Amino acid sequence: MVDVIKTLDIKYLPSNPASSFRALHESLIDYGGNKQPEFLTCMHEESAVGMAHGYFKIAGKPLLTLCHGTVGLQHAAMGIYNAWCDRVPVIVVGGNDMDAAHRPPGVPTFHSAQDINALVRDFTKWDDAPVSAQHFAQSFVRMYKIATTPPYGPVMMSLDAGLQQEPIRDIGEKLYIPRFVPSSPPQGDSGAVKEAARLLANAEHPVIVVDRAARTPNGIKLIVELAESLQAAVVDQGGRMNFPKTHYLNRPPNVIGQADVIIGMELSDFWGVVNGYVDNGDNGIGFNETKIKAGTKLISINSVELITKSNYQDFQRFQVVDVSMPADAEATLPALIEAVRSAIPNDRKAAIDKRGETFRKAYANGRENVKKAAAIAWDASPISTARLVMETWAQIKDLDWSLVASEGNVSNWPNRLWPMEKHHHWLGRSGGYGVGYGAPASVGAALANRDLGRFSVSIQSDGDLMYAPGVLWTAARHKIPLLAVMHNNRGYHQEVMHVQRLANFRNRVAYLGNDLAPMGTGIQNPDIEYHKLAESMGWWAKGPIKDPADLAPAIKEAVAVVKSGQPALLNVWTQPR
Amino acid sequence: MRNAFILIAAGLVLGNGAAFAASAESGKKAYVAHGCWQCHGFEGQGSVATSNGTVIAHTQLPFEAFESFVRSTNRAMPPYREAILSKADLTDIYAYLQSVPKPPDAASIPLLNP
């Protein structure tokens, strides 16, 4: 098994130890020399999966995690769901002792099940439960191949504890390890590409909307090429770093309203791009309203249509489109760009250039307006999220930086104010919005950045950190440098607003107890001393920082610590959003 | 002294008898107690994430229009009817929003102009 795993060049193995995979664990560190993969000790299975999630978004290569078959996988499940929704491959192997006649009674039997994979089958691309060493070899290479073929996704293997420990049976055939050959990503049909190009080339106001379109740095270049060919506005929804924030065609979502043709690439929710939902009642129904003009043509390139499942509703509401390509956007872009260039009529070229000039002016005006908005409450205490973000920026701007997570909602200031241009400048969010992603994903991404010599910074929210703060210890133990600047607004803020909303609709005064926020939504009384929590697990830390004037020197000090190879955390009290 | 100035300033803005009783200091407390800060920030700065970027500090809306919106908004903002937010408290909140320190000019902030 170790020989098979080693053929796939998997660098790390973040895991929480468990008896059901003790045999493989021992072989990996002793027979395998604890290299390719190197075991990283985790304190929660959700942290292990989150680390693998963040790691992939920098390295472009999946990690393996081992977990206990039942209870460990239950811990891991939310992280796997996030990876599924975020289209990230994670190789999950769960130990499971199937033989009821021979497995130890008591705890190991509590921790065994007929079909552990069932727990995550609805949000994994593939799963298997091999019954021989050769079967393991086939299935492990197959699961790696499936996970790393776009659309990416997590995969699951139930690995029998007996199979891990028993000697290799002589069945008269030589065991072999199948060679891994990556699959090509699926491209859009040539006829559909041509029709999409025709619509875009003849549009008065084409708009490009991207979410997870740039799987790689090359994806950004391709989207820029398409946008410049058309001088079309680009709305980057931020599932990945798709488009440079410094480009004049980078526009806010309200340009959708002027569009006559919209192309959506790898969108998680096309309906939500062209429609609005207003939550304006206590009956939970609200109302819908269109954001687009009648007759606007819609084009979709979305590989996720190839792996849609039924139970979990990550496919969102159904949106009718005029041209639908179930295909990988990045792989389809070269053909689409070529088709668009061929389809632009000569007599439209001047109008297209003029469109670009309009966007240059709008971009410049937009920048000034964003700065004005950032200046409001600049000197406030608790510290404004704009100030938090820009004080951080000032200390890292000369480094090869990577914003590895931004959880808890800081009003999108990094994307609005930082000159994000490279693929590693922004990694997107959790995918499934399962809270608890930020801390482990930022540690995983920082691990990948460490190996590339980059500086990692995260905006770390309070609620997110407390789901599984043990990942802080993992970062210190394995010397993963990361600057975590906390957005500590002392509450589950989305829920703060939800409960207030319902109280208002019902004409009731929200009960606060002694908190600022409605009962059950605040994280105060007592305030959590995150800096002490981090210090106790081997981090350099400081806080609570409430005065904006104290922020710059603290961040400067923390940056120096991180550059020396240690993780550092700043507990900053912030405005709500 | 500063509070007295704020009271007068708020009264002038409101332009009616009731408004002269408005207190920015009480308004700040009411603003927090009624949860306005949740979406609009403690200084009324707003957020693209919670208030569509609307800044309510130093709102240009006359008090009557401000009240009308707060009472009956049929949009994303949940309404605050008089049963849960008295006119006196809302008047104070309005005064508080007029009293919030004006932001510095963005052009004068080096961090915003690297």
Side-chain angles (χ1 to χ4, degrees):
Chain A
M1 289 177 184
V2 173
D3 291 342
V4 172
I5 292 168
K6 278 183 175 286
T7 65
L8 292 166
D9 195 27
I10 297 169
K11 200 164 182 184
Y12 299 106
L13 168 64
S15 287
N16 183 241
S19 59
S20 59
F21 61 81
R22 63 183 184 174
L24 182 57
H25 181 162
E26 192 277 333
S27 293
L28 281 161
I29 61 170
D30 294 331
Y31 170 75
N34 196 31
K35 283 183 184 154
Q36 305 290 111
E38 175 189 343
F39 203 107
L40 306 176
T41 315
C42 293
M43 307 192 118
H44 197 298
E45 291 81 356
E46 188 177 293
S47 305
V49 174
M51 282 179 65
H53 189 160
Y55 181 90
F56 178 82
K57 291 207 266 190
I58 288 292
K61 297 189 77 170
L63 296 184
L64 166 66
T65 184
L66 302 173
C67 64
H68 211 22
T70 46
V71 289
L73 188 57
Q74 286 163 6
H75 274 309
M78 189 283 282
I80 297 172
Y81 185 63
N82 271 341
W84 165 259
C85 295
D86 201 22
R87 315 306 164 197
V88 164
V90 180
I91 316 292
V92 186
V93 171
N96 187 34
D97 207 340
M98 284 297 290
D99 189 343
H102 292 99
R103 72 185 169 217
V107 176
T109 296
F110 274 118
H111 291 175
S112 299
Q114 287 180 1
D115 181 13
I116 60 167
N117 296 352
L119 184 66
V120 295
R121 187 163 289 136
D122 282 324
F123 43 91
T124 46
K125 278 185 84 179
W126 188 73
D127 67 86
D128 199 13
V131 295
S132 69
Q134 188 59 69
H135 187 172
F136 171 84
Q138 287 183 24
S139 291
F140 196 83
V141 176
R142 188 198 298 271
M143 74 194 286
Y144 187 95
K145 186 180 170 83
I146 289 171
T148 56
T149 299
Y152 305 135
V155 288
M156 177 75 211
M157 176 187 282
S158 170
L159 186 57
D160 182 49
L163 181 63
Q164 292 174 51
Q165 289 191 226
E166 72 180 21
I168 293 173
R169 281 172 281 163
D170 184 359
I171 54 169
E173 289 173 15
K174 194 169 182 280
L175 292 174
Y176 69 96
I177 301 172
R179 188 163 57 95
F180 167 62
V181 179
S183 301
S184 311
Q187 286 189 37
D189 167 75
S190 57
V193 167
K194 202 171 169 184
E195 175 60 6
R198 186 187 69 77
L199 289 170
L200 288 165
N202 290 286
E204 291 295 326
H205 299 289
V207 174
I208 300 166
V209 187
V210 281
D211 194 2
R212 293 186 182 85
R215 281 187 289 103
T216 71
N218 193 50
I220 298 176
K221 288 182 194 162
L222 292 170
I223 296 166
V224 169
E225 264 189 70
L226 177 66
E228 288 181 350
S229 300
L230 291 161
Q231 292 298 314
V234 177
V235 177
D236 188 347
Q237 296 195 303
R240 292 293 182 278
M241 176 66 205
N242 294 293
F243 197 72
K245 304 294 171 253
T246 52
H247 197 291
Y248 65 95
L249 292 172
N250 178 49
R251 304 300 305 133
N254 61 10
V255 294
I256 296 286
Q258 290 114 48
D260 54 354
V261 176
I262 297 170
I263 180 167
M265 293 193 275
E266 303 292 352
L267 304 186
S268 57
D269 182 8
F270 208 136
W271 186 92
V273 168
V274 296
N275 293 282
Y277 171 80
V278 180
D279 181 11
N280 74 331
D282 67 347
N283 53 15
I285 295 172
F287 66 82
N288 308 318
E289 55 188 6
T290 184
K291 290 182 192 168
I292 56 174
K293 296 184 290 193
T296 301
K297 297 288 184 189
L298 305 181
I299 303 161
S300 171
I301 310 178
N302 196 335
S303 59
V304 178
E305 287 183 44
L306 299 166
I307 58 164
T308 306
K309 296 197 178 190
S310 308
N311 190 7
Y312 287 77
Q313 305 288 301
D314 57 289
F315 41 77
Q316 299 290 332
R317 291 200 198 183
F318 184 68
Q319 176 60 50
V320 176
V321 299
D322 299 282
V323 180
S324 177
M325 285 179 258
D328 179 66
E330 186 170 320
T332 305
L333 271 165
L336 180 63
I337 293 164
E338 198 178 314
V340 161
R341 285 178 179 154
S342 303
I344 293 173
N346 281 335
D347 61 0
R348 290 216 30 85
K349 285 181 179 163
I352 288 173
D353 288 345
K354 197 174 169 193
R355 198 156 64 205
E357 285 311 307
T358 307
F359 284 129
R360 280 181 202 278
K361 285 177 196 154
Y363 178 82
N365 289 338
R367 290 289 302 166
E368 290 311 306
N369 289 335
V370 168
K371 287 180 190 175
K372 279 182 196 162
I376 302 171
W378 187 254
D379 296 316
S381 175
I383 295 168
S384 83
T385 50
R387 180 86 182 252
L388 177 87
V389 161
M390 288 316 286
E391 293 283 6
T392 303
W393 163 246
Q395 303 300 329
I396 64 164
K397 64 186 168 64
D398 297 326
L399 305 170
D400 183 14
W401 56 271
S402 175
L403 181 58
V404 289
S406 179
E407 291 299 299
N409 204 324
V410 287
S411 299
N412 226 17
W413 287 118
N415 309 62
R416 295 159 74 197
L417 289 166
W418 292 12
M420 293 179 177
E421 293 175 329
K422 297 177 183 170
H423 201 247
H424 61 268
H425 282 169
W426 171 256
L427 306 189
R429 296 189 172 85
S430 61
Y433 298 91
V435 182
Y437 159 90
S442 56
V443 171
L447 172 68
N449 277 329
R450 180 192 71 180
D451 295 349
L452 294 164
R454 288 188 195 132
F455 186 94
S456 298
V457 58
S458 73
I459 308 290
Q460 175 63 59
S461 66
D462 45 352
D464 177 279
L465 180 57
M466 291 309 289
Y467 276 86
V471 76
L472 298 176
W473 178 85
T474 301
R477 168 64 184 83
H478 295 285
K479 300 187 175 10
I480 301 169
L482 166 65
L483 170 61
V485 181
M486 288 199 68
H487 165 39
N488 178 8
N489 61 11
R490 294 168 296 140
Y492 298 102
H493 199 74
Q494 194 68 33
E495 283 58 48
V496 169
M497 296 184 292
H498 272 305
V499 177
Q500 182 72 51
R501 167 178 298 277
L502 267 289
N504 283 29
F505 281 126
R506 292 168 176 174
N507 243 1
R508 295 199 278 241
V509 175
Y511 174 62
L512 306 182
N514 291 319
D515 294 348
L516 286 174
M519 177 54 65
T521 62
I523 309 176
Q524 49 187 157
N525 296 322
D527 295 312
I528 299 174
E529 301 198 78
Y530 297 98
H531 48 293
K532 290 186 181 171
L533 176 74
E535 268 177 354
S536 77
M537 289 195 259
W539 284 49
W540 181 97
K542 201 168 233 185
I545 300 167
K546 302 175 185 177
D547 182 343
D550 295 337
L551 204 45
I555 299 173
K556 192 173 183 179
E557 208 177 340
V559 166
V561 170
V562 175
K563 282 167 83 176
S564 77
Q566 261 196 43
L569 178 142
L570 294 169
N571 176 13
V572 185
W573 279 32
T574 51
Q575 294 278 323
R577 284 283 165 87
Chain B
M1 185 63 194
R2 185 169 176 274
N3 285 341
F5 173 77
I6 290 164
L7 274 173
I8 293 163
L12 288 172
V13 171
L14 295 170
N16 62 44
F20 278 103
S23 157
E25 202 173 334
S26 301
K28 185 173 185 177
K29 287 179 190 155
Y31 183 84
V32 172
H34 288 285
C36 311
W37 63 275
Q38 298 170 10
C39 299
H40 297 284
F42 289 105
E43 301 211 353
Q45 73 268 29
S47 160
V48 289
T50 54
S51 64
N52 204 22
T54 304
V55 179
I56 57 170
H58 301 281
T59 176
Q60 298 296 304
L61 287 178
F63 178 76
E64 290 72 17
F66 177 77
E67 181 181 25
S68 170
F69 182 80
V70 168
R71 298 292 186 210
S72 61
T73 167
N74 191 30
R75 300 295 303 174
M77 178 174 158
Y80 280 82
R81 299 188 184 93
E82 202 145 2
I84 56 172
L85 174 60
S86 68
K87 182 153 187 165
D89 277 358
L90 187 59
T91 307
D92 287 344
I93 287 170
Y94 187 86
Y96 167 63
L97 291 172
Q98 302 302 335
S99 77
V100 171
K102 292 230 174 180
D105 181 357
S108 71
I109 300 173
L111 285 180
L112 294 176
N113 299 279

